Amino acid sequence: MRNFDEDNITQAVLARVAGAPSPRVRQVSEALVRHLHAFVREIEPTQDEWTRAIGFLTETGHMCTDVRQEFILLSDTLGVSMLVDAINHRHAGDATPSTVLGPFYVAAAPELECGSDIAAGEPGEPLLVEGSVRAQDGTPIADAIVDTWHSDDEGCYDVQRAGGPEALSLRARFRTDRDGKFWFRTIVPAFYPIPDDGPVGKMLRAQGRHPYRPAHVHFMIAAPGCETLATHLFLQGSDYLDSDVVFGVKDSLIEPVVMAGPGSTPYGARLEQAMLALRREFVLADARSAA
């Protein structure tokens, strides 16, 4: 077949991909062709606009490094990351809601003992973070792995600063005790802008949008027989809860920062003096129901 034009090009491309050996590859390819062609037909880009679009994607790729993933930022800010997350976490019952992983997760976070101070000299208001992990049937989960990370009091993550992997701060990995509990000390994180000095930032400005996320603490919690949970706790009262640039806020994930101590806390920490605390019971979905 030859002589392609705007009336027959879509069907021609669909015919070419129809022979894909994998049914899933065929399904994805056909949907991509249909929707991409429909998008182009709707906006009718000029040749210059299409060249600029290719340049935008090229620049996005060039901005990606070991500590910065511009394509994740693009996915996040267009709401695609949250859409994919919602499709993959349709849980019944009281499982803790998930939200976007974000671009600042580091797999090599140090494992520390419960009660450790992950701020380790960082300036800021001291904060106790404590919680528990259980299954949907109510059983406490011992030895669950709790990864956590957050920004400093100026809204900056450790990987955004100079120093490399040796300068990791405000992140760690803990294991729950026999009652499914964990706790650690840190500082109160601040709201912050996503990196907006690249193509995603240019896109946001062109769309008349701000680059800010409300203050939050990230958690990734894993245990055998359960679906791994990636979520945030958003600090009640933070700016931008209603206009998170990556659409990640859910009412059920907003928690107050309260005053705790002195003395023993409900999660096993012991405080010599009163300090701010952020608390949460996390419920992991059963892996079989998730599948």
Side-chain angles (χ1 to χ4, degrees):
M1 186 176 179
R2 305 175 183 174
N3 304 314
F4 303 114
D5 57 29
E6 62 182 289
D7 296 320
N8 64 16
I9 185 66
T10 302
Q11 288 304 315
V13 179
L14 290 173
R16 297 280 179 92
V17 303
S22 164
R24 180 61 169 168
V25 170
R26 176 179 174 177
Q27 178 190 23
V28 172
S29 298
E30 289 178 342
L32 174 64
V33 171
R34 288 195 307 269
H35 290 283
L36 182 58
H37 283 220
F39 168 77
V40 173
R41 284 191 174 90
E42 179 180 339
I43 65 170
E44 296 188 335
T46 65
Q47 200 67 51
D48 179 63
E49 288 173 334
W50 190 245
T51 299
R52 288 164 60 191
I54 299 299
F56 171 80
L57 293 176
T58 302
E59 186 182 358
T60 299
H62 288 165
M63 288 295 294
C64 296
T65 69
D66 290 342
V67 296
R68 175 166 176 170
Q69 233 301 348
E70 194 76 2
F71 273 111
I72 291 180
L73 286 179
L74 180 59
S75 173
D76 289 351
T77 54
L78 291 177
V80 178
S81 297
M82 277 304 299
L83 178 58
V84 172
D85 181 81
I87 290 170
N88 282 274
H89 297 94
R90 296 166 174 154
H91 301 315
D94 62 348
T96 300
S98 58
T99 189
V100 291
L101 178 65
F104 299 122
Y105 170 69
V106 173
E111 184 168 329
L112 303 177
E113 295 291 330
C114 280
S116 297
D117 184 354
I118 70 172
E122 294 272 0
E125 180 75 18
L127 177 70
L128 173 70
V129 178
E130 51 185 359
S132 62
V133 181
R134 67 168 175 86
Q136 285 187 280
D137 65 3
T139 305
I141 302 177
D143 211 35
I145 297 173
V146 180
D147 267 286
T148 186
W149 64 102
H150 64 80
S151 70
D152 62 20
D153 69 343
E154 295 184 344
C156 187
Y157 283 82
D158 51 2
V159 294
Q160 295 177 285
R161 303 181 298 202
E166 296 78 16
L168 293 181
S169 178
L170 300 172
R171 71 174 71 238
R173 176 175 296 166
F174 299 95
R175 291 180 183 268
T176 56
D177 65 14
R178 63 183 181 183
D179 297 318
K181 297 177 180 179
F182 68 92
W183 61 96
F184 60 91
R185 297 171 186 254
T186 185
I187 58 171
V188 176
F191 66 81
Y192 62 87
I194 63 169
D196 64 346
D197 57 338
V200 171
K202 293 177 184 177
M203 179 192 75
L204 293 176
R205 287 187 287 276
Q207 293 172 343
R209 297 168 59 190
H210 70 70
Y212 287 95
R213 300 213 64 203
H216 59 273
V217 179
H218 291 265
F219 293 89
M220 181 184 287
I221 305 176
C226 297
E227 182 180 4
T228 297
L229 170 67
T231 194
H232 305 4
L233 293 186
F234 295 95
L235 275 57
Q236 188 177 86
S238 175
D239 292 338
Y240 305 108
L241 285 171
D242 292 319
S243 60
D244 180 11
V245 68
V246 306
F247 307 96
V249 178
K250 298 177 180 180
D251 285 343
S252 58
L253 294 176
I254 300 173
E255 294 288 353
V257 175
V258 299
M259 190 60 69
S264 297
T265 74
Y267 292 87
R270 181 163 183 80
L271 302 178
E272 298 302 321
Q273 58 186 16
M275 65 185 300
L276 297 176
L278 180 66
R279 294 167 169 159
R280 178 72 182 221
E281 177 186 66
F282 296 92
V283 182
L284 301 189
D286 184 89
R288 290 170 293 180
S289 64

